[in-house]
Amino acid sequence: MAMNAARAVGVDIGGTGIKGALVDLQAGALLSERVKVATPAGAEPDDVLEAVRTVLETLGVTDADVPLGVAFPAIVRNGRTMSAANVADTWIGFEAEKFFEDGLGREIHFANDADVAGVAEVRYGAARGVGGLVILTTLGTGIGTAMLHNGILIPNSELGHLQRAEKTSDVEAWAAYSAMEREDLTWVKWAKRLQWYYSHLEFLLSPDLFIVGGGVSKHSEEFLPLLELKTPIVPAVHRNNAGIIGAAALSARVSAGDA
Ligand code: BGC
């Protein structure tokens, strides 16, 4: 297979936006501008595929000899999406990887969005060389999580869907960045929710490091200092690009045949 493993394209499909870029796999850095389009309302498969096409065409990377990784905000098992928190229910049990491969006419590597962000931070960021348990959380439309033990990903953790005993909604509906925006919370009020969430994760899982990703991680100085935890908590080095970089990194590894 004529794959150039020095660079790959990453596309990160989120509940609100679909972002993509060409990535330098040695440096773990973007080689192109970051292209972003809105996630189509309802996020049905055909519309999402069309939006991914637009991203690839805008980037000018439609030929199949550059590896392509696609990240998606759902549980991904054997190429199938198995949940749909912020996208259409059609994705539940859907052969998503094959759908994108057929639609784009090329091979892709397909995985959960938070998991690929975790991989990016292990290879090129805040989790590099960190032993023990690292939990990366993305605070965006939902809350995504990646669990990494001694640098190895434990895929498909869904710790944004923890339930608070006294409430009916998942924690992500209450503590994701979208909740802060929707309810117009101050940093202090939002941080109180995050305090509950991270303390709970800390109690359940005894991690060695928390990494905070998602778009809001660029404002981490507004809320991370407000949290009182035993576990160190740091922003993702690659901020909201971790998903793009991780998706690209995984695609090239697979393409090179050493996954
Ligand atoms: C989904 C996760 C995803 C996260 C962030 C959650 O609602 O269940 O699979 O990683 O949102 O997009």
Side-chain angles (χ1 to χ4, degrees):
M1 213 182 306
M3 288 288 179
N4 182 352
R7 49 178 60 190
V9 177
V11 173
D12 185 7
I13 300 172
T16 309
I18 300 178
K19 308 168 279 280
L22 186 63
V23 175
D24 175 339
L25 298 175
Q26 201 65 44
L30 302 198
L31 276 174
S32 72
E33 57 160 341
R34 189 172 100 132
V35 171
K36 183 172 177 181
V37 301
T39 304
E44 288 288 351
D46 284 339
D47 300 333
V48 172
L49 172 63
E50 206 40 54
V52 170
R53 266 201 204 108
T54 304
V55 168
L56 296 176
E57 278 161 17
T58 312
L59 283 171
V61 286
T62 44
D63 45 334
D65 54 359
V66 183
L68 170 63
V70 177
F72 195 85
I75 297 168
V76 177
R77 299 201 67 191
N78 304 319
R80 273 179 199 261
T81 39
M82 302 304 290
S83 63
N86 296 300
V87 291
D89 283 352
T90 323
W91 294 95
I92 301 172
F94 186 70
E95 287 221 51
E97 180 166 12
K98 183 170 185 313
F99 171 77
F100 283 111
E101 288 192 334
D102 290 349
L104 299 172
R106 54 161 307 160
E107 276 186 25
I108 65 166
H109 185 271
F110 189 69
N112 171 265
D113 57 352
D115 281 349
V116 304
V119 168
E121 290 294 315
V122 163
R123 291 205 194 165
Y124 314 106
R128 197 172 183 168
V130 178
L133 179 64
V134 176
I135 300 179
L136 174 134
T137 57
T138 61
L139 303 174
T141 312
I143 294 182
T145 57
M147 289 177 66
L148 303 134
H149 190 252
N150 290 337
I152 307 288
L153 176 72
I154 303 162
N156 286 317
S157 61
E158 286 284 343
L159 301 172
H161 294 284
L162 281 177
Q163 304 279 323
R164 291 170 300 138
E166 73 281 17
K167 304 284 180 199
T168 49
S169 67
D170 290 1
V171 72
E172 75 167 12
W174 177 72
Y177 181 53
S178 59
M180 174 171 173
E181 290 185 308
R182 196 172 49 244
E183 297 179 44
D184 209 11
L185 301 177
T186 59
W187 291 111
V188 171
K189 284 209 166 134
W190 187 50
K192 287 201 172 118
R193 298 185 182 188
L194 295 179
Q195 178 68 51
W196 182 91
Y197 181 54
Y198 287 107
S199 301
H200 198 58
L201 288 183
E202 183 171 67
F203 169 68
L204 292 176
L205 294 159
S206 300
D208 294 283
L209 177 67
F210 283 123
I211 302 176
V212 179
V216 73
S217 58
K218 63 175 178 284
H219 301 299
S220 62
E221 73 287 352
E222 302 279 0
F223 59 97
L224 290 189
L226 304 178
L227 303 180
E228 286 178 25
L229 298 162
K230 296 184 219 84
T231 314
I233 183 162
V234 298
V237 167
H238 298 287
R239 307 289 199 263
N240 212 15
N241 290 336
I244 294 175
I245 294 170
L250 281 169
S251 75
R253 199 164 68 106
V254 167
S255 305
D258 62 353

